[in-house]
Amino acid sequence: MSRKKIELNGKVEKLAEKYLQITGTDLDDLTNAALKAYLIDHLNSNQINEALKDTDDVSSEYAGKLFNLDDLNRF
């Protein structure tokens, strides 16, 4: 998957900066964790499986790290 450029609004950026400062987390890690939680919450397991099935090997390996079976089994 290609990299996407995102722009945070002012309040979200300030909150993110504070969180990153407190936790020592990288913005990429925070973004991936937040998107993972959001997507798992808003897609059903069939949609997730379908999306991951149609990916190439490199993307599938990365997506497998983002969406493990434990996450999918919760739904």
Side-chain angles (χ1 to χ4, degrees):
M1 177 186 283
S2 64
R3 294 209 175 252
K4 306 288 184 195
K5 180 181 176 188
I6 62 166
E7 293 184 26
L8 304 176
N9 68 36
K11 290 182 180 180
V12 172
E13 185 171 7
K14 287 182 181 186
L15 291 170
E17 285 176 5
K18 184 63 173 179
Y19 179 82
L20 296 175
Q21 178 186 40
I22 291 170
T23 63
T25 303
D26 179 80
L27 181 60
D28 290 335
D29 292 337
L30 174 61
T31 303
N32 284 310
L35 280 171
K36 174 186 172 183
Y38 182 88
L39 293 171
I40 287 176
D41 189 46
H42 287 80
L43 295 173
N44 65 44
S45 60
N46 290 336
Q47 292 168 323
I48 293 170
N49 286 328
E50 181 182 330
L52 298 181
K53 178 179 72 174
D54 295 335
T55 58
D56 61 316
D57 291 340
V58 174
S59 295
S60 294
E61 181 179 328
Y62 180 68
K65 292 177 184 176
L66 286 177
F67 300 99
N68 64 46
L69 292 177
D70 294 334
D71 291 333
L72 298 176
N73 289 333
R74 291 186 307 143
F75 301 99

